[in-house]
């Protein structure tokens, strides 16, 4: 994507949006492409490999997924909303994240994307059938764009509790006793990815898939070098969509950070969290409310150490809102809740983490000592 380099001396332009105190400075990244190849409609599902599908299914049910399909080699998970599955886990020798699949707005978009990228449209074995185009983003992460032939039907919902507010008394002669049960997943909301090729990867998702930025984060004293994190949404015009469907941040690794799944409300998050804790799963961070996106959140680790989030009540933006800009900091991740944990931030020291950092510093990417020190400062501030 082409955009004008930052003019650090330029005055700050008025920012009319309500979601951030700051807007862009003159010449900063516009947060969208002038002429994207296509505009994806949503995130369809995430693809993983794991050696133990039985263990994966136990956690999936405890976390609140429903089972869309199960074979000897594949496990398809879904939420209660009608649409596509939200995760596929294939049997493999080791636990690893393969990549995301995005939903094309219409079948013709697959042909347009295939022509533009020199790829081909192929059938895929999703429940109900479908077709996809397989791509690689600049980080080398496999990315699918899919169009499903059939939608899965809706399943029964976990109903929100009726609450009393001030003088608005909607519940009388009745008590609140939310059952201790899994938080019933409604849908896949977003995925967060790390990359040492942040700027190139960001522009690829905007130029190729037509996504747009909701919020940028930058490092203290390094705004002139550009952002180091972007919260990115799909562009459905005047239709308001999730604040972010994809989030990217600069770091030494390439790939998965966490994924988020919508549930009914705060009681579903809390009661489902108690259910998970009673079964011995490890909470990574929560419960709290984010700043960028405003979601109520609760983060957990599955038996393979992948991080998954229950969320509710997120922001919805139409295409009209321009990106907000804010400094990156650990304390800026939540409006309220417990202090952010080292486990969530991924800052627990280990030989593997140190090797990862050293490889990245020696590689041809955007992570240099100044960027690394800025990231370390941000994660401790």
């Amino acid at each position: 994507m082409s955009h004008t380099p930052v003019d650090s001396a330029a005055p700050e332009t008025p920012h009319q949006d309500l979601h951030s105190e700051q807007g862009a400075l003159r010449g900063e990244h516009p947060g969208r492409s002038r002429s994207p190849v296509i505009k994806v409609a949503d995130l369809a599902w995430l693809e993983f490999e794991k050696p133990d599908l039985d263990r994966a299914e136990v956690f999936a049910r405890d976390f609140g997924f429903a089972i869309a399909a199960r074979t000897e080699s594949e496990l398809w998970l879904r939420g209660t909303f009608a649409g596509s599955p939200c995760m596929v886990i294939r049997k493999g020798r080791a636990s690893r994240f393969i990549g995301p699949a995005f939903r094309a707005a219409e079948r013709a978009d697959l042909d347009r994307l295939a022509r533009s990228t020199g790829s081909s449209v192929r059938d895929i074995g999703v429940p109900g059938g479908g077709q996809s185009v397989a791509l690689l983003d600049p980080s080398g992460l496999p990315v699918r764009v899919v169009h499903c032939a059939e939608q899965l039907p809706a399943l029964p919902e976990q109903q929100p509790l009726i609450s009393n507010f001030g003088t608005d008394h909607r519940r009388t002669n009745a008590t609140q006793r939310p059952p201790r049960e899994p938080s019933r997943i409604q849908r896949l909301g977003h995925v967060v990815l790390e990359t040492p090729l942040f700027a190139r990867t960001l522009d690829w998702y905007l130029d190729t898939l037509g996504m747009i930025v909701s919020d940028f984060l930058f490092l203290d004293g390094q705004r002139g070098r550009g952002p180091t994190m972007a919260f990115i949404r799909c562009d459905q015009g005047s239709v308001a969509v999730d604040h972010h469907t994809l989030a990217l941040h600069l770091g030494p690794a390439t790939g998965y950070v966490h994924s988020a799944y919508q549930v009914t409300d705060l009681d579903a998050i809390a009661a489902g969290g108690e259910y998970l804790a009673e079964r011995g799963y490890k909470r990574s961070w929560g419960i709290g409310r984010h700043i960028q996106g405003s979601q109520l959140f609760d983060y957990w680790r599955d038996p393979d150490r992948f991080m998954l989030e229950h969320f509710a009540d997120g922001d919805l933006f139409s295409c009209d809102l321009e990106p907000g800009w804010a400094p990156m900091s650990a304390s800026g991740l939540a409006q309220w809740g417990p202090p952010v944990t080292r486990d969530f931030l991924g800052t627990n020291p280990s030989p593997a983490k140190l090797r990862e950092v050293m490889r990245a510093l020696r590689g041809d990417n955007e992570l240099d000592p100044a960027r690394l020190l800025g990231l370390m400062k941000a994660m401790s501030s």
Side-chain angles (χ1 to χ4, degrees):
M1 165 182 276
S2 60
H3 55 274
T4 308
V6 175
D7 179 4
S8 58
E12 185 171 335
T13 56
H15 190 229
Q16 304 300 321
D17 306 331
L18 300 177
H19 64 102
S20 177
E21 293 182 1
Q22 301 183 47
L25 302 178
R26 185 178 303 161
E28 285 187 313
H29 199 301
R32 60 186 71 199
S33 175
R34 292 195 183 112
S35 183
V37 178
I38 64 168
K39 293 184 177 183
V40 293
D42 204 351
L43 192 59
W45 62 76
L46 304 177
E47 301 187 6
F48 293 83
E49 284 186 356
K50 295 186 178 184
D52 190 339
L53 294 189
D54 291 335
R55 185 176 71 170
E57 182 175 346
V58 170
F59 173 80
R61 292 184 185 275
D62 288 342
F63 194 73
F65 291 104
I67 308 304
R70 172 71 196 267
T71 68
E72 292 269 333
S73 59
E74 289 187 344
L75 173 63
W76 287 88
L77 307 177
R78 60 162 298 176
T80 58
F81 285 2
S84 67
C86 51
M87 185 186 296
V88 56
I89 305 172
R90 298 187 177 90
K91 193 171 182 63
R93 298 181 63 181
S95 294
R96 66 188 186 108
F97 175 64
I98 304 300
F102 292 87
R103 178 168 61 86
E106 53 188 40
R107 170 60 182 79
D109 283 344
L110 296 186
D111 296 322
R112 187 177 302 112
L113 185 62
R115 286 194 301 270
S116 175
T117 60
S119 306
S120 58
V121 179
R122 298 186 177 181
D123 292 336
I124 50 173
V126 61
Q131 294 180 305
S132 78
V133 173
L135 306 169
L136 289 176
D137 75 11
S139 301
L141 190 71
V143 176
R144 289 184 190 268
V145 178
V146 303
H147 186 269
C148 296
E150 297 179 13
Q151 286 198 335
L152 298 172
L155 297 176
E157 288 290 324
Q158 191 172 26
Q159 295 302 312
L161 298 185
I162 299 172
S163 299
N164 291 326
F165 298 101
T167 59
D168 182 9
H169 300 157
R170 304 182 185 186
R171 190 187 78 256
T172 59
N173 297 326
T175 59
Q176 294 282 40
R177 302 291 186 270
R180 191 66 57 85
E181 63 182 7
S183 306
R184 202 172 305 172
I185 301 300
Q186 295 174 328
R187 65 183 179 94
L188 168 62
H190 63 259
V191 64
V192 179
L193 303 175
E194 179 178 346
T195 173
L197 300 172
F198 173 80
R200 280 180 269 176
T201 304
L202 168 65
D203 287 348
W204 184 87
Y205 282 97
L206 307 190
D207 289 335
T208 308
L209 304 187
M211 306 182 82
I212 56 180
V213 175
S214 298
D215 281 287
F216 284 119
L217 301 184
F218 57 89
L219 295 177
D220 182 38
Q222 298 187 32
R223 182 166 179 172
R225 295 189 64 184
T228 50
M229 186 165 188
F231 297 87
I232 310 163
R233 68 190 186 275
C234 296
D235 182 359
Q236 293 195 29
S238 61
V239 176
V241 301
D242 287 341
H243 171 271
H244 56 284
T245 301
L246 169 68
L248 292 173
H249 73 76
L250 177 67
T254 297
Y256 181 90
V257 178
H258 77 258
S259 53
Y261 304 86
Q262 181 177 291
V263 300
T264 301
D265 58 12
L266 180 58
D267 278 284
I269 291 175
E274 292 299 306
Y275 183 91
L276 287 168
E278 289 171 353
R279 279 149 184 80
Y281 299 109
K282 183 180 188 303
R283 175 180 269 123
S284 181
W285 182 37
I287 299 172
R289 187 182 281 277
H290 280 305
I291 294 179
Q292 278 79 23
S294 303
Q295 300 94 339
L296 296 162
F297 66 80
D298 196 18
Y299 292 90
W300 293 84
R301 293 281 184 182
D302 76 1
D304 297 282
R305 297 288 301 158
F306 290 109
M307 191 190 302
L308 294 87
E309 174 190 1
H310 285 142
F311 81 92
D313 190 34
D315 291 338
L316 301 173
F317 287 3
S318 68
C319 70
D320 306 304
L321 264 68
E322 297 297 323
W325 288 73
M328 178 182 282
S329 70
S331 60
L333 291 171
Q335 302 176 44
W336 58 261
V340 63
T341 64
R342 294 176 69 90
D343 179 73
F344 175 83
L345 295 173
T347 56
N348 289 322
S350 68
K353 177 66 72 175
L354 292 174
R355 288 194 296 270
E356 194 174 74
V357 170
M358 294 306 297
R359 280 196 300 269
L361 289 174
R362 291 194 295 264
D364 179 18
N365 56 57
E366 298 160 32
L367 193 72
D368 56 33
R371 284 303 221 190
L372 178 61
L373 288 174
L375 288 169
M376 293 171 64
K377 179 181 176 182
M379 292 304 97
S380 62
S381 62

